Amino acid sequence: QSRLVESGGGLVQPGGSLRLSCAASGFTLDHYAIGWFRQAPGKEREGVSCISGSGGSTSYADSVKGRFTISRGNAKNTVYLQMNSLKPEDTGVYYCAVGALCGKAADFGSWGQGTQVTVSS
């Protein structure tokens, strides 16, 4: 049973927007780095964005810079990924994960079940 749950995925046309949520059960996320990753069929999982602990610094993959924004919600058990100007290449299963520091997927120890994002005309 995942302690992290992603939601907000769905089908959207190119150029549209979605906001993904990552919610934790039993703990708050403000002390941890939270990463968003995605995996498309036949491709390796890739990092999309990350927000650090209390410092709040953020990072983004080059492919999503200027289009995606990661943020912490008012509720400290929630992190969001706002995705604008979506492209078909953004299609995939999106996962949030918890780690001590922002890094690669292997650096994160707790993962959600994923939410499907499909960008298609």
Side-chain angles (χ1 to χ4, degrees):
Q1 296 184 11
S2 298
R3 298 179 67 194
L4 298 173
V5 178
E6 302 93 338
S7 62
L11 175 64
V12 65
Q13 293 185 351
S17 298
L18 288 172
R19 186 180 68 169
L20 305 184
S21 298
C22 175
S25 297
F27 66 103
T28 59
L29 298 178
D30 57 313
H31 298 290
Y32 304 98
I34 307 299
W36 282 98
F37 301 82
R38 67 188 180 190
Q39 187 166 21
K43 299 179 66 176
E44 292 186 349
R45 183 171 50 189
E46 64 175 340
V48 176
S49 182
C50 190
I51 186 166
S52 65
S54 296
S57 62
T58 60
S59 61
Y60 300 90
D62 289 341
S63 59
V64 307
K65 286 180 180 177
R67 299 188 297 118
F68 290 12
T69 303
I70 189 170
S71 63
R72 296 184 182 274
N74 292 331
K76 295 186 177 180
N77 69 330
T78 306
V79 170
Y80 298 105
L81 183 68
Q82 178 68 45
M83 306 187 296
N84 298 325
S85 301
L86 284 162
K87 305 175 180 179
E89 305 91 87
D90 296 318
T91 293
V93 179
Y94 283 69
Y95 302 88
C96 65
V98 175
L101 298 170
C102 289
K104 299 296 183 181
D107 298 321
F108 292 81
S110 183
W111 294 76
Q113 87 290 348
T115 185
Q116 176 71 44
V117 172
T118 303
V119 185
S120 176
S121 59

